[in-house]
Amino acid sequence: MNATEWKEKLSAIRDSFSVSITNRSAENPEALELRFLGRKGELALLLRDLKDIPLEERKALGALGNSAKAEMEARLSELKAAAGRAAGPAASGIDLTLPGLPCPKGSLHPLTITMNRLAEGFLKLGFTMSDGPLVEDDYHNFEALNFPPFHPARDMQDTFYVDAKDAAGKDMLLRTHTSPVQIRSMEKQEPPIRVFHTGRVFRSEAVDASHSFTFHQIEGLYVDKGVSMADLKWTVDTFMKDLFGTGVKTRFNPSYFPFVEPGAEVDMSCIFCKSGAGRCHVCKGTGWLEMMGAGLVHPNVLKACRYDPAKWSGFAFGAGIERFAMLLFGIHDMRMLYENDLRVLKQVQ
Ligand code: DAH
């Protein structure tokens, strides 16, 4: 190749580069760079051919080649910058300076918080957690708890029966209370026993501000040698004070439940009006709130679980958890606990 041919070749390369870069949809800047300026690119190969050209001409041609190279590099970097701008955040509609979207944090439901607090209270008193099924048989929900068939006390709990039979051929049911867990716990373990359970129960009731077809209860059971009403009173009083403050008082009224004798209803002094004076809408001016049922475990219940009533005695109690949740969080309508209204749930954390 002589000097003239070399110059012609250089100007052909420049022209072809110029066409390619103007019509850049065909090739991206990186491909152009590789094709013209790369180690085996068109310009590089041409510069290599300089070695065949006499020295006196070579210098001038070299200078020409280098200035072509510099010009091509400049145009390529301009093109790259423009491409970067086009693909950048502004072009895609993303503003990286905007604060991120808030990521909402979940929280526990007020009933769960309440159950956890009740559980903590009883764990502290040396009780352990026990469990039982939601779909129960007649034996555990009624019979072993000293509700014989056709006993009028069964009417205290309007029951949902399900379309399935238990081992005795009786209809299965949705448990109406957590008391069957007493039986299931005693069947599993020899005395002494000190257990509690929190969970869901079901009754065929119309829904209003203080009733629901499903709600939650806590159940407690303690059987040992010489357990008396005094143990029950101390346990309940200590627990209530732990939960609602040392200022609250408890009192026991005689009541009837087939599975305890004597049986009682436990009241707590009203935590809102603290006196009963005036027209407190929570205690209805009585100064007392009904909080749970309790009593000494009936000998028939102990016998059903093969605990000898001559040797062992115990107490049991059961309470509605919604009541505790409503008092702890100042909720006046039970339905608020089931509607999942985030405005309510956010206030209770
Ligand atoms: N199971 C009873 C109910 O649902 C509540 C209850 C009363 C539980 C007295 C007890 C108890 O353990 O001793 O109405």
Side-chain angles (χ1 to χ4, degrees), residues 182-202:
Q182 290 186 34
I183 306 297
R184 293 200 174 269
S185 308
M186 285 191 275
E187 283 171 345
K188 269 188 242 148
Q189 169 186 342
E190 294 295 318
I193 184 169
R194 193 157 33 173
V195 289
F196 75 97
H197 168 71
T198 56
R200 207 164 168 189
V201 302
F202 307 84

Side-chain angles (χ1 to χ4, degrees), residues 157 176-179 182 203 217 219-220 257 259-260 264 293-295 316-319:
Q157 304 180 352
T176 54
H177 53 174
T178 43
S179 301
Q182 290 186 34
R203 304 239 179 126
Q217 287 189 334
E219 190 81 20
F257 301 97
F259 38 94
V260 281
F317 59 86

Side-chain angles (χ1 to χ4, degrees), residues 113-122 124 218 235-248 268 271 291-292 319-321 323-325 327-328:
I113 298 174
T114 308
M115 284 196 264
N116 289 349
R117 282 177 62 179
L118 296 174
E120 265 167 39
F122 282 104
K124 265 196 273 184
I218 178 165
T235 306
V236 167
D237 194 69
T238 305
F239 171 71
M240 291 300 206
K241 287 187 162 70
D242 187 41
L243 202 62
F244 292 104
T246 47
V248 299
M268 175 180 78
I271 56 170
M291 296 303 289
M292 60 171 77
I321 287 170
R323 189 88 216 254
F324 283 88
L327 292 173
L328 285 171

